[in-house]
Amino acid sequence: MDIKPSALALVPFVSVDHMMQLVHHIGLETMLSDLTDYIEADFARWEEFDKTPRIASHSPEGVIELMPTSDGKVYGFKYVNGHPKNTKLGRQTVTAFGLLANVDNGYPVLLSEMTLLTALRTAAASAMAARYLAPKGATTMAMIGNGAQSEFQTLAMKCVIGIDTVRLYDIDPAATRKCAANLADHGLNVVPCRTPQDAIEGAQIITTCTADKQYATILSDNMVGAGVHINAIGGDCPGKTELHRDILLRSDIFVEYPPQTRIEGEIQQLAEDHPVTELWQVITGQRKGRTDARQITLFDSVGFAIEDFSALRYVREKIKGTAFYRDLDMLADPDDPRDLFGMLQRFDQAV
Ligand SMILES: NC(=O)c1ccc[n+]([C@@H]2O[C@H](COP(=O)([O-])OP(=O)(O)OC[C@H]3O[C@@H](n4cnc5c(N)ncnc54)[C@H](O)[C@@H]3O)[C@@H](O)[C@H]2O)c1
């Protein structure tokens, strides 16, 4: 016997397939621009949110993290992993899913894939930071690390900041070939490079997005000239960084949430009280972003829960009235809310 779930049992679920349909329906660049605006709007109301460093479970191979937050009306969390060796076994470095719930009654209101959405929101957060930090009129970005995130990072800088050229480098030339082929028809001048030095030649924005579970030196001090903006994505775990410490000492450093970034970001290499600027304060006008053309600015990105909340909030709004989700029978809904046991018992009698 097929027992139909009641309305209260159902939670909208966005699968990977639905997410791909949604992105194509909206348009990739439109969605990246929209997400940039959504994240910026939520950073502008930073003080309304519950904030905590994410809860990380480390292993020798990688990390599994939970990222919760709430604005008092809606609660959200993301499950995400980071396993740099996964790609060698056919799995991705990063996968994720997330949930939004009603704070008033605790009932979930959205369950969504977030592997694609994380790539989109990470790129959008980079573009949001670059709005305030990149040199005016930046046209060229170096993209170091040409894996899963790289095309998203590039296209967000194209549609939000206006770059027209991307210079690619990866330790694995096959990754660069893949990235160049994927970006071929997106209205950019794409330049594959053989060395990181070649890639940063003439770039006003340098994005590092590599994956390795170690203190790596993707950029050394002598490679970074005055006036650039560094968008450092890949250093996001204790013991996992991308920049030489001396670069940090020459840069003005901007972060999402200091209690988390001091554990996970490039600044884990610095003293605990090294001055950093919180991005939300720049967005609300309390602190300044880039102030002069020769300054080196660094967005020490680690990824923060509010960015995922913004992305889920966007998806929740955009799927309304569409076929880009299905209802999951996810919440037990007994006729008498206190008779959960009776619901189970009657089910056995009914089938
Ligand atoms: N800050 C954030 O919000 C955020 C969000 C998502 C992912 N990340 C991080 O971004 C990084 C990249 O993620 P991904 O999904 O693209 O990973 P991926 O494994 O798909 O790609 C990483 C690429 O880096 C390359 N690489 C490794 N070492 C290198 C080196 N020394 N020089 C040049 N290239 C090198 C690899 O060959 C690979 O192509 C990961 O470290 C991940 O944890 C951060």
Side-chain angles (χ1 to χ4, degrees):
M1 195 174 102
D2 193 18
I3 299 173
K4 263 190 106 178
S6 60
L8 285 182
L10 301 177
V11 177
F13 168 59
V14 178
S15 67
V16 174
D17 191 48
H18 290 133
M19 188 62 78
M20 293 198 288
Q21 291 180 46
L22 181 69
V23 175
H24 282 285
H25 173 75
I26 293 172
L28 176 56
E29 292 192 21
T30 303
M31 187 154 168
L32 284 165
S33 297
D34 287 353
L35 285 171
T36 305
D37 294 340
Y38 267 61
I39 296 171
E40 188 168 320
D42 283 341
F43 271 52
R45 60 185 186 108
W46 186 261
E47 283 156 310
E48 290 175 24
F49 285 91
D50 274 351
K51 290 171 285 291
T52 178
R54 61 185 155 198
I55 301 140
S57 173
H58 295 280
S59 67
E61 288 74 30
V63 64
I64 295 177
E65 296 164 329
L66 289 178
M67 303 172 69
T69 189
S70 164
D71 68 356
K73 297 191 180 74
V74 176
Y75 172 91
F77 79 83
K78 177 170 85 172
Y79 166 102
V80 62
N81 76 301
H83 286 72
K85 287 191 194 128
N86 264 8
T87 53
K88 296 206 165 53
L89 302 165
R91 291 193 165 93
Q92 292 187 94
T93 298
V94 174
T95 61
F97 67 89
L99 181 141
L100 290 179
N102 215 326
V103 166
D104 285 349
N105 53 31
Y107 269 41
V109 293
L110 177 71
L111 175 68
S112 178
E113 89 78 39
M114 287 194 79
T115 305
L116 283 161
L117 197 58
T118 292
L120 291 159
R121 77 79 156 121
T122 305
S126 291
M128 178 192 76
R131 262 183 186 158
Y132 296 89
L133 305 178
K136 269 210 173 64
T139 54
T140 302
M141 176 168 89
M143 182 72 234
I144 300 181
N146 301 155
Q149 312 296 320
S150 60
E151 297 90 347
F152 298 91
Q153 286 287 328
T154 304
L155 290 176
M157 289 297 182
K158 177 195 169 214
C159 66
V160 177
I161 303 301
I163 63 153
D164 58 24
T165 300
V166 62
R167 300 176 66 83
L168 305 176
Y169 171 74
D170 194 291
I171 206 165
D172 177 359
T176 301
R177 281 197 295 278
K178 177 261 335 178
C179 186
N182 282 342
L183 291 175
D185 295 326
H186 287 272
L188 282 166
N189 178 24
V190 181
V191 187
C193 300
R194 294 224 172 132
T195 64
Q197 287 81 356
D198 186 14
I200 64 173
E201 188 68 42
Q204 299 94 7
I205 300 174
I206 303 174
T207 295
T208 55
C209 194
T210 66
D212 205 344
K213 210 170 183 324
Q214 62 161 347
Y215 294 109
T217 307
I218 306 302
L219 295 181
S220 55
D221 191 32
N222 59 349
M223 289 166 72
V224 177
V228 298
H229 172 56
I230 305 171
N231 176 43
I233 303 299
D236 60 357
C237 261
K240 178 169 175 267
T241 57
E242 295 182 303
L243 308 182
H244 192 283
R245 184 173 182 273
D246 290 349
I247 298 174
L248 310 184
L249 298 174
R250 288 165 60 213
S251 305
D252 288 313
I253 303 172
F254 297 81
V255 302
E256 291 141 318
Y257 179 57
Q260 183 179 311
T261 313
R262 292 207 189 268
I263 300 168
E264 301 181 349
E266 296 298 328
I267 58 170
Q268 65 187 275
Q269 303 180 69
L270 302 179
E272 269 173 32
D273 59 353
H274 188 91
V276 296
T277 304
E278 295 184 50
L279 267 179
W280 73 272
Q281 292 185 314
V282 176
I283 287 158
T284 53
Q286 298 169 48
R287 302 285 301 271
K288 293 217 156 46
R290 173 171 288 273
T291 48
D292 84 77
R294 293 192 56 78
Q295 185 185 15
I296 300 170
T297 51
L298 164 62
F299 174 34
D300 186 1
S301 162
V302 292
F304 188 57
I306 293 175
E307 294 152 16
D308 299 306
F309 180 98
S310 313
L312 288 169
R313 185 167 73 75
Y314 178 79
V315 168
R316 187 183 177 200
E317 279 170 29
K318 292 293 168 185
I319 61 169
K320 276 183 195 150
T322 75
F324 306 141
Y325 71 94
R326 75 183 171 89
D327 286 323
L328 270 194
D329 176 16
M330 203 167 107
L331 305 173
D333 183 36
D335 294 338
D336 170 354
R338 288 177 300 184
D339 194 18
L340 183 65
F341 187 88
M343 182 185 85
L344 175 66
Q345 189 155 265
R346 282 190 296 279
F347 177 82
D348 192 40
Q349 288 157 6
V351 287

